[in-house]
């Protein structure tokens, strides 16, 4: 009986050791410094950008329907592009800052091989999507820009999820679905953009924070 108990104890210890090794290998192969707070900040930045767009539209008596019906002026297009660029810069800056701060806590370099692979796999679909949006603007198909941004951003998250927390895939899938729906229901393109880049980012960031960062 004692021999059996000793055998079971050894088996349990070996199983725990294997689980620990697997956990270490998983941590070493993934970028675990991605911050949920950065996701929340990105969502807030997107909502602020949406607020700026609504302010501009109200000031100039414009509606989103003008984007796909009668069209909008080049001045309005430039304003929308500037707002989108600012939101992107704020989101990227927040991601770098909060991820670097988290990396210090877990004693992980922010620019090791996993971080480089994450950025590369994130940027390729984003770069293609950015070029595609410029093509849409060139051909004056402005009403598909917002859906295209959601689709390519979602694809970039899905593509890079294998190098960080797998949870990021769900945000990517949601953005892709929102973008595809907005392609069919173009009158809701702005609403889809706000939901995808604003609301979903805040929800995702909060979930990530409470799941991986809150102690």
């Amino acid at each position: 009986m004692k021999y059996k108990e000793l055998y079971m104890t050894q088996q349990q210890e070996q199983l725990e050791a294997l689980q620990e090794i697997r956990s270490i290998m998983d941590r070493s192969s993934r970028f675990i410094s991605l911050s949920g707070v950065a996701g929340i900040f990105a969502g807030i930045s997107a909502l602020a950008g949406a607020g700026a767009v609504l302010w501009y539209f109200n000031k100039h008596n414009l509606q989103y329907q003008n984007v796909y019906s009668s069209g909008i002026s080049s001045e309005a297009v430039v304003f929308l592009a500037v707002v989108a660029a600012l939101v992107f810069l704020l989101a990227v800056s927040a991601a770098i800052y909060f991820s670097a701060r988290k990396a210090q806590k877990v004693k992980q370099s922010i620019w090791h091989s996993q971080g480089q692979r994450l950025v590369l796999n994130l940027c390729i679909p984003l770069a293609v999507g950015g070029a595609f949006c410029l093509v849409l603007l060139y051909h004056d198909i402005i009403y598909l820009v917002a859906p295209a941004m959601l689709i390519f951003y979602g694809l970039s998250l899905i593509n890079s999820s294998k190098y960080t927390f797998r949870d990021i895939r769900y945000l990517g899938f949601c953005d892709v679905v929102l973008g595809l729906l907005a392609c069919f229901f173009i009158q809701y393109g702005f609403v889809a953009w706000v939901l995808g880049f604003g609301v979903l980012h805040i929800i995702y960031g909060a979930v990530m924070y409470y799941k991986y960062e809150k102690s």
Side-chain angles (χ1 to χ4, degrees):
M1 188 68 179
K2 290 183 178 180
Y3 175 79
K4 184 176 181 180
E5 292 178 354
L6 179 61
Y7 176 77
M8 293 297 294
T9 301
Q10 290 177 342
Q11 287 287 96
Q12 182 65 27
E13 290 176 352
Q14 291 175 358
L15 181 60
E16 292 176 355
L18 287 173
Q19 290 175 342
E20 181 65 23
I21 293 172
R22 182 178 179 181
S23 176
I24 293 173
M25 291 179 64
D26 188 60
R27 287 168 64 89
S28 65
S29 64
R30 293 180 181 275
F31 183 76
I32 60 172
S33 298
L34 200 63
S35 173
V37 179
I40 295 173
F41 190 89
I44 294 174
S45 300
L47 293 180
V53 170
L54 288 176
W55 168 83
Y56 182 88
F57 277 19
N58 289 332
K59 182 180 179 181
H60 294 84
N61 295 319
L62 295 173
Q63 294 182 344
Y64 184 74
Q65 285 78 0
N66 296 118
V67 172
Y68 58 87
S69 57
S70 59
I72 57 177
S73 65
S74 57
E75 178 186 349
V77 173
V78 170
F79 179 83
L80 293 175
V82 169
V83 170
L86 288 175
V87 169
F88 177 76
L89 289 175
L90 286 173
V92 170
S93 300
I96 294 174
Y97 172 75
F98 288 109
S99 295
R101 193 174 70 170
K102 184 181 176 184
Q104 290 180 345
K105 292 182 179 179
V106 299
K107 297 180 180 180
Q108 183 186 52
S109 172
I110 194 174
W111 194 241
H112 52 45
S113 58
Q114 289 76 28
Q116 294 172 17
R117 291 171 183 170
L118 171 66
V119 172
L120 178 63
N121 283 267
L122 186 71
C123 287
I124 291 175
L126 282 179
V128 175
F132 183 71
C133 288
L134 290 177
V135 171
L136 293 176
L137 290 174
Y138 177 80
H139 291 288
D140 202 26
I141 313 177
I142 303 173
Y143 55 86
L144 286 182
V145 171
M149 291 173 68
L150 285 167
I151 292 171
F152 281 98
Y153 178 65
L155 291 175
S156 70
L157 294 180
I158 297 170
N159 192 49
S160 60
S161 64
K162 53 184 175 288
Y163 297 108
T164 184
F165 298 112
R166 293 185 178 90
D167 308 65
I168 200 173
R169 288 180 300 179
Y170 303 116
L171 176 61
F173 288 137
C174 290
D175 281 335
V176 169
V177 170
L178 274 175
L180 291 174
L181 289 174
C183 288
F184 291 99
F185 305 98
I186 55 177
Q187 67 271 28
Y188 297 110
F190 182 69
V191 175
W193 191 95
V194 172
L195 287 175
F197 289 105
V199 177
L200 287 182
H201 253 294
I202 293 175
I203 295 174
Y204 155 80
V207 170
M208 292 290 288
Y209 175 77
Y210 283 101
K211 188 173 182 180
Y212 297 109
E213 299 175 50
K214 189 177 181 180
S215 56

